[in-house]
């Protein structure tokens, strides 16, 4: 069981708090989805829970957390540079728990994860495998230790559809406690039993942590309804308050006008106006106190969106790509033969297939052909920017 008590995380560089006063209990069979915009501390939280030393160079924390007698397993977003250079067999066997598995147990783990048979003995470096295959190999090492609590940082990165379905089935039937970060809404909706929503409001300066014991889909719907009700209530209260304030301003202006027009020959009226002004000032102070009690307008974190200008377009029917390849190979393996692809503007082509089928290899070759062109501007977004 994972228990978090009043946990706050602060960045050392700028002393900015990214997680504030978080408390959470996660028991066996519960699957908590950690959601939020990029930079809100999701990965930092998982690293800290697994090993505070992972975040010590750039973050510090207050509060406490404990797994009790349970063991935790952690899947990071990416393998380290050192791990990527290791042969797959050495990478897996560098973990004591994996070394203790017998041949049948290793074969079962490979089959469960949809890995090629015998891959645990491969001498190819980890970096030579596809992104999805690397995720599976890393997940195999985590699962070999049979942890009680799983900390998964974006486990769906680079997974093919078959492995995504396996992951959904695995998480849905998992009796372990699971804390996972994902941006895959299908996985979130199908697998989560509760949600931890990390936000940074007011231009990333005010952290807010929301724990909801609702599945992701229900949480999103309930949150949307609550925000809508809060906004309606807040705007109605402000309309009524502004109407009261307008009446108050008219009364104050009349008293101030009468005071200005008062002559010294009428002391009785002066005393009455002085009492009226005291009453008006008292009314003003009461209104200020009421202003502080108004329902606040809902604060939400504005996501970052990307858009392209209308000028970034390809004329309809323009031949953008004519690509032919007799043989597609990677790592000494032939992945496909007689590849032919034509692309005309503004078509959008999706390259689909299982992990290791050559999708990334093919896209790199296409990119190398396009970026040299002068009649169009081509941009390539790689899987890994390292």
């Amino acid at each position: 069981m994972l228990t978090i008590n009043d946990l706050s995380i602060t960045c050392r560089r700028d002393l900015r708090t990214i997680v504030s006063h978080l408390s959470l209990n996660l028991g066996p069979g519960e699957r908590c989805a950690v959601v939020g915009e990029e930079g809100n501390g999701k990965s930092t939280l998982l690293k800290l829970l697994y090993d505070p030393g992972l975040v010590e160079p750039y973050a510090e924390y207050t509060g406490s957390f404990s797994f009790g007698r349970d063991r935790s397993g952690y899947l990071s977003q990416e393998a380290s540079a050192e791990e990527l250079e290791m042969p797959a067999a050495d990478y897996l066997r560098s973990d004591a728990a994996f070394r203790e598995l017998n041949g049948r147990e290793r074969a079962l783990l490979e089959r469960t994860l949809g890995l090629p048979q015998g891959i645990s003995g491969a001498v190819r470096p980890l970096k030579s495998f596809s992104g999805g295959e690397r995720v599976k190999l890393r997940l195999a090492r985590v699962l070999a230790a049979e942890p009680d609590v799983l900390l998964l940082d974006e486990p769906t990165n680079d997974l093919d559809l078959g492995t995504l379905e396996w992951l959904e089935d695995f998480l849905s039937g998992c009796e372990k406690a699971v804390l996972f970060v994902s941006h895959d809404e299908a996985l979130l909706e199908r697998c989560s039993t509760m949600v931890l929503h990390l936000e940074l409001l007011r231009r990333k300066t005010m952290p807010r942590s929301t724990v909801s014991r609702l599945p992701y889909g229900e949480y999103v719907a309930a949150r949307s309804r609550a925000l809508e009700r809060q906004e309606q209530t807040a705007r109605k209260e402000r309309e009524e308050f502004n109407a009261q304030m307008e009446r108050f301003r008219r009364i104050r202006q009349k008293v101030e006008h009468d005071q200005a027009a008062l002559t010294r020959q009428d002391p009785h009226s002066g005393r009455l106006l002085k009492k009226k002004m005291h009453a008006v000032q008292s009314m003003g102070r009461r209104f200020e106190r009421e202003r502080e009690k108004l329902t606040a307008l809902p604060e939400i974190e504005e996501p970052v969106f990307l858009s392209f200008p209308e000028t970034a377009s390809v004329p309809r029917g323009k031949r953008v790509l004519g690509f032919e390849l007799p043989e597609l190979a990677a790592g000494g393996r032939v992945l496909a033969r007689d590849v032919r692809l034509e692309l005309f503007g503004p078509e959008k082509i999706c390259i689909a297939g299982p992990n290791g089928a050559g999708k990334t290899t093919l896209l790199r070759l296409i990119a190398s052909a396009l970026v040299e062109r002068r009649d169009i501007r081509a941009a390539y977004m790689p899987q890994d920017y390292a």
Side-chain angles (χ1 to χ4, degrees):
M1 180 173 181
L2 170 62
T3 301
I4 302 174
N5 290 314
D6 198 30
L7 180 67
S8 296
I9 305 174
T10 301
C11 296
R12 292 185 185 275
R13 184 180 62 183
D14 54 9
L15 300 181
R16 185 168 56 95
T17 300
I18 55 175
V19 176
S20 180
H21 302 294
L22 168 64
S23 294
L24 171 72
N25 290 315
L26 187 65
E30 292 185 312
R31 302 178 295 276
C32 181
V34 186
V35 300
E37 295 296 316
E38 297 292 347
N40 286 8
K42 303 185 297 297
S43 295
T44 298
L45 173 64
L46 263 64
K47 289 179 182 178
L48 172 66
L49 295 175
Y50 180 68
D51 178 5
L54 295 175
V55 304
E56 198 277 334
Y58 67 91
E60 56 188 26
Y61 74 97
T62 59
S64 63
F65 56 89
S66 172
F67 292 96
R69 295 183 179 180
D70 289 344
R71 293 178 296 176
S72 64
Y74 169 61
L75 180 73
S76 61
Q77 272 193 34
E78 301 289 346
S80 68
E82 180 182 356
E83 290 171 336
L84 288 173
E85 298 295 333
M86 298 172 65
D90 292 351
Y91 167 74
L92 291 170
R93 288 181 173 82
S94 64
D95 180 74
F98 194 90
R99 288 197 303 271
E100 293 176 1
L101 297 180
N102 59 41
R104 179 178 295 181
E105 290 169 334
R106 290 175 186 173
L108 177 61
L109 194 54
E110 290 171 352
R111 188 165 60 252
T112 301
L113 289 170
L115 286 164
Q117 186 177 2
I119 197 172
S120 58
V123 295
R124 290 167 50 196
L126 196 62
K127 67 180 182 182
S128 69
F129 290 88
S130 71
E133 287 173 324
R134 288 201 298 269
V135 171
K136 295 176 188 178
L137 285 166
R138 294 168 55 232
L139 191 54
R141 199 170 78 160
V142 171
L143 295 177
E146 298 184 352
D148 304 292
V149 182
L150 288 174
L151 307 172
L152 308 178
D153 194 355
E154 300 198 29
T156 55
N157 283 357
D158 307 323
L159 293 185
D160 59 29
L161 292 177
T163 311
L164 273 173
E165 291 175 358
W166 169 85
L167 184 62
E168 289 179 5
D169 291 340
F170 171 77
L171 291 178
S172 297
C174 186
E175 296 181 359
K176 306 175 188 293
V178 183
L179 189 67
F180 70 100
V181 177
S182 180
H183 298 284
D184 187 319
E185 286 202 89
L187 183 79
L188 293 170
E189 291 182 359
R190 294 170 187 170
C191 298
S192 65
T193 61
M194 57 185 293
V195 173
L196 167 58
H197 190 176
L198 299 180
E199 298 174 275
L200 283 174
L201 308 173
R202 300 178 188 174
R203 297 182 180 273
K204 300 285 186 180
T205 62
M206 189 182 81
R208 180 170 69 188
S209 304
T210 304
V211 177
S212 172
R213 292 196 170 273
L214 291 174
Y216 176 77
E218 294 181 25
Y219 166 71
V220 171
R223 180 175 186 267
S224 179
R225 291 192 299 268
L227 289 173
E228 185 177 351
R229 285 196 301 269
Q230 182 181 346
E231 182 171 8
Q232 290 175 348
T233 301
R235 294 196 182 282
K236 182 178 180 181
E237 288 180 1
R238 276 159 177 74
E239 288 178 4
E240 294 174 351
F241 180 80
N242 290 337
Q244 291 177 328
M245 285 297 295
E246 182 59 32
R247 290 193 293 271
F248 165 72
R249 281 191 288 269
R250 289 198 297 268
I251 293 172
R252 185 180 62 188
Q253 288 172 357
K254 184 177 186 309
V255 174
E256 290 175 345
H257 177 269
D258 291 344
Q259 280 186 324
L262 187 67
T263 63
R264 293 184 178 180
Q265 285 76 24
D266 191 1
H268 177 69
S269 296
R271 286 191 296 272
L272 291 177
L273 287 173
K274 189 174 181 180
K275 288 182 179 180
K276 280 187 178 182
M277 180 54 72
H278 281 306
V280 168
Q281 290 173 340
S282 177
M283 187 185 301
R285 289 191 292 271
R286 191 181 79 245
F287 278 131
E288 288 302 316
R289 290 192 296 270
E290 289 180 2
R291 187 196 301 272
E292 296 174 359
K293 297 178 182 179
L294 292 176
T295 300
L297 286 165
E299 290 189 89
I300 59 172
E301 185 177 16
E302 294 296 336
V304 177
F305 290 104
L306 179 69
S307 62
F308 294 96
E310 294 182 1
T311 54
S313 62
V314 180
R316 184 172 297 278
K318 176 181 173 64
R319 191 170 187 265
V320 176
L321 181 68
F323 187 84
E324 293 189 9
L325 191 67
E327 187 176 274
L328 177 67
R333 293 184 299 155
V334 175
L335 303 173
R337 288 188 172 90
D338 299 324
V339 178
R340 293 184 178 89
L341 175 63
E342 282 193 314
L343 177 63
F344 296 89
E347 291 179 334
K348 301 169 182 63
I349 305 296
C350 171
I351 303 176
N355 289 136
K359 302 185 296 298
T360 299
T361 302
L362 177 61
L363 193 61
R364 285 174 182 161
L365 292 172
I366 293 171
S368 65
L370 288 177
V371 293
E372 301 298 327
R373 296 265 294 272
R374 291 293 175 263
D375 59 323
I376 59 173
R377 286 185 295 172
Y380 171 54
M381 180 177 176
Q383 197 175 75
D384 182 1
Y385 276 92

